[in-house]
Amino acid sequence: MSDSRQPLLKVRDLTVTFGPRRRRLSAVAGVSFEIYEGETLGLVGESGCGKSTTGRALMRIVEPSGGSVELDGVEVTSLKGAALRRLRTRMQMIFQDPISSLNPRRRVRDIVAEPLDCWQSAKGEDRRRVVDELLHQVGIDPDLYGERFARQFSGGQCQRISIARSLAMKPKLLICDEMVSALDVSVQAQILNLLEDLKAQYGLTLLFIAHDLAVVKNVSDRVAVMYLGKICEIGPSDTLYESPEHPYTSFLLGAALEADPDSPAHREVLSGEPPSPLNPPSGCRFRTRCPLAQDRCTSEEPALREVGDGHRVACHFPLSLERR
Amino acid sequence: MSDSSPLLEVTDLCTTFTTPTGPVAAVSGVSFTLNHDETLGIVGESGSGKTVLSRTVMGLQPRRNVVVTGSSRLNGVELVGASEAEKRRVWGLEVAMIFQDPMTSLNPVMRIGKQIDEILRVRRGLSRSAARDRAIELLELVGIPSPTQRYREYPGALSGGMRQRVVIAAALAGSPQLLMADEPTTGLDVTIQAQILNLLDDLRARLRMSVVLVTHDLGVVATRTSRLVVMYAGRVVEVGSTRDLFARHRMPYTRALLEGSPRLSNPAHTRLVTIPGRPPNLAQLPAGCSFAPRCAYATAQCHVERPELQPADGLGHYFACWNPLPTPTGVS
Ligand SMILES: Nc1ncnc2c1ncn2[C@@H]1O[C@H](COP(=O)(O)OP(=O)(O)OP(=O)(O)O)[C@@H](O)[C@H]1O
Ligand SMILES: Nc1ncnc2c1ncn2[C@@H]1O[C@H](COP(=O)(O)OP(=O)(O)O)[C@@H](O)[C@H]1O
Ligand code: SF4
Ligand code: SF4
Ligand SMILES: [Mg+2]
Ligand SMILES: [Mg+2]
């Protein structure tokens, strides 16, 4: 299906470690995936599983300790200096905390123009025109708000300004890290709809990182599930949500709350908490909480393998075997 | 107290903060009742007044720069304007509160067991050793593994979920009849959230408590409350049984709140229903309906005259709207 298209981003065995050798923490422990041109890949998982670190490593905000990242065929991990800065115009990241990611003492127009100024790609009248157009696109009236300071805006408006800024250099890939998590329902819906519109208009490709499964389902074509630094399942969103293959995905979906009084109450609830990434379990990282774990899960790490069209799972005993 | 009179009766409660930029009406004219063994949900977006309401209901407010009027009666005892001594008698024993941020309700430099001990000794008059035994029992009750060891740990050594369990254990120390839980799972991972919500349900049934569950997340209240209060800009805009509010809401804001939430069952790229703008500034509330500037159904009247809560049926469903949504046909 999507595999016939060109991947815009190709990630192979990405690892990120933090800390000195004795207390080494592998936040991202060998992650591989691709994102095809024009699609949205959702990345979900519980806090601390490595979602943000993955996004930051792609942008080289944190340095990967291993693996390869190719954007449009260009190896990103070895770029330096000007080439690295240029990369950052083609890949942009939007963060969770909209207010603190903008300089409170700068005016809205100047914030949006930051990348243009940095690259001196538009000046004077031209700069003004580009910036105002971007502000219009994200639903902020430049004539009314363009000269105001960022600190005068609400979370939702700051997120709109962040989006406008991220689009200034016409990036190909947008990495959204929990971009609506701090927003209220009514504002969140506005931003999600806006993102979908801009994606179509600018031909964007998206990595959408969030812990909220319903939000991710709403925007993603494919979804990857992370647990303790590894991808445990990846596939088309409908397939993954309807028939998850990894026990962890199944628990995660079971725990998600649907705003519907007729939705089933929590059935099986995953017990315990994720182990520390400083000392991950041998074999399958989920085995300490997995009700299906067998001896093999302790000794052998399950590799991601194809179980359906574009659907891959890292489990020795995927759920469809159970169901059969 | 007989079980037929309400446990909690809130009438025309108003909380207004005096700020340098003028009065902020955080809670305005809120009334509701809570019966024994009931779980009531209070929902609304950030800043709608949920936390201020829950604190005011308990008689918990800063001493200065605040004016509270109206009444909040717990088992018939007035908490608004009650003396500190009176409130201290009630807090912990009849009503306990779990705050939005578990870290603020725990003392970071005191072992968790000691914090629960203290409540048991002060409030329940238990001896040192009886308090210790009971504290360990409570830690076990809320599902803390190896409670005897955990008893000696500091809050900082615990995960967010474990901390919230400790907060719940501390709240239960006085065996309250009413538990006010303000966003008890906000910020926790879904799997941990499910554990904590199941725990609260289980404790409520076992200990025959009533619970007020305050949240911005409709998913949290959908299957876990019997009645719902929807707040907007400091007021109750709709109240009724949880089922009625989900299926037969009449107030456009309630609908916006429901339809703006992404659903797990939605196919990818579902267009969300949105309302323009954001909640009003409480220091400059519009005249009339406070939702009017964002409401697609607003008429001239809405901008000048505030709608009062009116009954939708004889079954405890009320809404505040001049142009209510029609009741869906085919649903009864
Ligand atoms: N001490 C105070 N002084 C002035 N204004 C206050 C004070 N405490 C709260 N407010 C205001 O009262 C309003 C209601 O706040 P409250 O914390 O109850 O909202 P909430 O519904 O609990 O929101 P959230 O979902 O963000 O927790 C807000 O506008 C807030 O800024
Ligand atoms: N700069 C850092 N230094 C040390 N540890 C870090 C750093 N950033 C993240 N981590 C750790 O890496 C793991 C993954 O974190 P993160 O990527 O933020 O997870 P997520 O975004 O999925 O919540 C966590 O254990 C976190 O504590
Ligand atoms: S590999 Fe084993 S422990 Fe891991 S998820 Fe599959 S069954 Fe569970
Ligand atoms: S009273 Fe008017 S403005 Fe308010 S919710 Fe009803 S229709 Fe909308
Ligand atoms: Mg993160
Ligand atoms: Mg609050």
Side-chain angles (χ1 to χ4, degrees):
Chain A
M1 195 194 70
S2 44
D3 303 52
S4 60
R5 285 183 286 157
Q6 270 308 313
L8 174 70
L9 186 81
K10 204 161 142 190
V11 180
R12 286 287 167 272
D13 290 323
L14 183 70
T15 57
V16 182
T17 54
F18 293 112
R21 180 141 19 110
R22 277 180 43 252
R23 282 186 62 81
R24 179 164 295 165
L25 180 153
S26 59
V28 180
V31 156
S32 303
F33 60 89
E34 42 279 314
I35 310 183
Y36 296 95
E37 185 112 37
E39 78 165 347
T40 301
L41 176 70
L43 184 58
V44 299
E46 294 179 276
S47 80
C49 71
K51 304 181 298 295
S52 301
T53 306
T54 301
R56 288 164 170 272
L58 300 180
M59 289 287 294
R60 302 254 324 258
I61 299 172
V62 298
E63 281 305 319
S65 22
S68 118
V69 176
E70 267 179 34
L71 180 72
D72 247 351
V74 176
E75 179 60 46
V76 163
T77 49
S78 55
L79 293 180
K80 289 193 179 70
L84 178 59
R85 279 191 291 128
R86 203 166 308 116
L87 164 83
R88 293 200 174 127
T89 64
R90 312 196 55 219
M91 242 199 253
Q92 284 283 319
M93 191 155 176
I94 298 177
F95 300 92
Q96 165 167 9
D97 188 352
I99 296 177
S100 69
S101 59
L102 301 180
N103 183 339
R105 286 183 303 270
R106 299 205 71 189
R107 294 178 196 277
V108 169
R109 278 201 179 97
D110 294 331
I111 290 175
V112 175
E114 271 164 25
L116 301 172
D117 297 346
C118 174
W119 287 94
Q120 309 198 327
S121 57
K123 286 189 202 132
E125 254 319 286
D126 204 26
R127 172 182 182 269
R128 171 72 165 255
R129 195 183 42 73
V130 173
V131 167
D132 285 9
E133 171 66 16
L134 285 164
L135 283 169
H136 262 303
Q137 303 257 299
V138 299
I140 293 204
D141 184 339
D143 298 324
L144 281 178
Y145 301 111
E147 294 307 310
R148 296 220 192 154
F149 294 99
R151 58 162 185 270
Q152 295 168 312
F153 291 90
S154 68
Q157 286 170 311
C158 285
Q159 211 53 294
R160 288 174 191 271
I161 298 166
S162 298
I163 296 173
R165 177 177 60 180
S166 73
L167 295 179
M169 296 304 290
K170 301 212 175 348
K172 299 203 73 166
L173 180 70
L174 204 57
I175 300 174
C176 307
D177 188 6
E178 306 275 6
M179 73 177 286
V180 296
S181 308
L183 304 177
D184 268 317
V185 186
S186 70
V187 181
Q188 171 179 287
Q190 293 167 4
I191 300 291
L192 289 174
N193 282 353
L194 173 69
L195 187 69
E196 292 278 59
D197 292 343
L198 293 172
K199 187 192 161 198
Q201 198 179 331
Y202 284 79
L204 295 169
T205 301
L206 257 52
L207 176 61
F208 191 91
I209 302 172
H211 69 279
D212 187 320
L213 293 153
V215 168
V216 168
K217 173 86 182 292
N218 242 263
V219 299
S220 305
D221 302 294
R222 291 189 306 130
V223 172
V225 183
M226 270 185 95
Y227 186 79
L228 216 59
K230 290 197 180 276
I231 289 183
C232 53
E233 182 162 11
I234 182 168
S237 11
D238 294 335
T239 317
L240 191 124
Y241 279 67
E242 269 155 40
S243 35
E245 287 288 357
H246 199 284
Y248 177 63
T249 312
S250 169
F251 276 111
L252 206 56
L253 289 167
L257 294 162
E258 188 76 305
D260 175 1
D262 293 320
S263 65
H266 290 133
R267 298 140 303 191
E268 283 175 274
V269 169
L270 192 57
S271 58
E273 301 186 358
S276 159
L278 278 170
N279 190 13
S282 65
C284 173
R285 296 188 162 211
F286 185 54
R287 72 174 163 81
T288 51
R289 298 168 85 194
C290 181
L292 302 180
Q294 315 270 322
D295 289 346
R296 186 177 165 200
C297 307
T298 312
S299 54
E300 190 186 333
E301 183 178 337
L304 262 185
R305 60 181 163 122
E306 192 102 3
V307 285
D309 193 5
H311 189 180
R312 280 175 288 160
V313 62
C315 172
H316 295 308
F317 309 100
L319 294 173
S320 57
L321 289 179
E322 280 286 296
R323 285 192 285 263
R324 242 179 262 144
Chain B
M1 266 289 113
S2 85
D3 263 17
S4 59
S5 62
L7 173 63
L8 178 71
E9 210 168 354
V10 173
T11 319
D12 205 19
L13 203 60
C14 299
T15 311
T16 309
F17 295 103
T18 325
T19 71
T21 48
V24 169
V27 170
S28 312
V30 169
S31 303
F32 63 87
T33 56
L34 175 72
N35 295 317
H36 289 267
D37 274 336
E38 191 178 42
T39 305
L40 174 79
I42 298 182
V43 296
E45 292 181 282
S46 184
S48 59
K50 307 180 296 295
T51 297
V52 174
L53 174 62
S54 354
R55 297 178 70 102
T56 309
V57 161
M58 289 192 58
L60 201 81
Q61 278 304 338
R63 271 168 236 250
R64 266 184 269 174
N65 301 331
V66 64
V67 179
V68 178
T69 60
S71 148
S72 168
R73 288 165 169 271
L74 182 71
N75 281 326
V77 176
E78 181 61 64
L79 292 177
V80 171
S83 68
E84 289 301 309
E86 182 64 24
K87 284 192 273 198
R88 235 172 285 128
R89 193 188 63 72
V90 171
W91 287 342
L93 292 180
E94 289 183 36
V95 54
M97 184 154 177
I98 301 174
F99 295 95
Q100 198 157 343
D101 172 10
M103 228 22 210
T104 59
S105 30
L106 293 174
N107 180 344
V109 295
M110 194 172 173
R111 297 181 199 276
I112 57 171
K114 286 275 170 270
Q115 308 198 28
I116 302 173
D117 275 13
E118 198 166 73
I119 303 173
L120 290 162
R121 286 174 39 216
V122 175
R123 301 242 187 261
R124 310 232 78 186
L126 296 191
S127 72
R128 203 172 277 273
S129 71
R132 183 174 186 279
D133 292 348
R134 178 73 184 136
I136 292 172
E137 250 174 59
L138 284 166
L139 290 175
E140 184 154 32
L141 181 72
V142 298
I144 296 209
S146 20
T148 316
Q149 282 95 61
R150 292 290 177 155
Y151 176 92
R152 300 186 49 77
E153 276 178 20
Y154 291 96
L158 303 178
S159 67
M162 284 297 158
R163 249 177 244 153
Q164 198 57 291
R165 287 177 194 267
V166 172
V167 170
I168 295 171
L172 297 178
S175 311
Q177 292 170 283
L178 171 61
L179 187 65
M180 308 275 296
D182 188 6
E183 310 265 9
T185 59
T186 303
L188 298 179
D189 278 315
V190 280
T191 60
I192 311 299
Q193 165 166 284
Q195 293 172 3
I196 299 286
L197 290 174
N198 278 356
L199 172 69
L200 281 175
D201 263 1
D202 178 52
L203 292 171
R204 189 190 62 80
R206 266 209 275 173
L207 308 175
R208 301 206 60 224
M209 283 187 301
S210 298
V211 174
V212 174
L213 195 57
V214 177
T215 175
H216 67 283
D217 185 346
L218 288 158
V220 168
V221 291
T223 57
R224 296 184 187 267
T225 59
S226 42
R227 277 196 316 134
L228 271 188
V229 167
V230 180
M231 291 196 67
Y232 188 76
R235 292 187 178 272
V236 174
V237 293
E238 191 154 9
V239 51
S241 76
T242 305
R243 282 191 171 275
D244 273 350
L245 286 214
F246 274 88
R248 283 181 289 278
H249 43 269
R250 307 296 303 279
M251 159 70 186
Y253 177 69
T254 309
R255 176 162 108 172
L257 209 52
L258 282 168
E259 295 190 347
S261 326
R263 296 289 178 97
L264 278 174
S265 49
N266 283 353
H269 307 297
T270 302
R271 193 94 192 147
L272 297 168
V273 175
T274 61
I275 42 175
R278 60 192 175 108
N281 179 348
L282 295 177
Q284 296 158 15
L285 282 177
C289 175
S290 43
F291 189 54
R294 308 172 75 190
C295 182
Y297 303 87
T299 50
Q301 184 185 22
C302 305
H303 292 280
V304 290
E305 209 177 330
R306 201 183 60 236
E308 295 294 340
L309 280 174
Q310 55 171 299
D313 51 27
L315 304 167
H317 179 182
Y318 293 82
F319 62 87
C321 178
W322 294 121
N323 308 304
L325 304 165
T327 23
T329 49
V331 196
S332 65

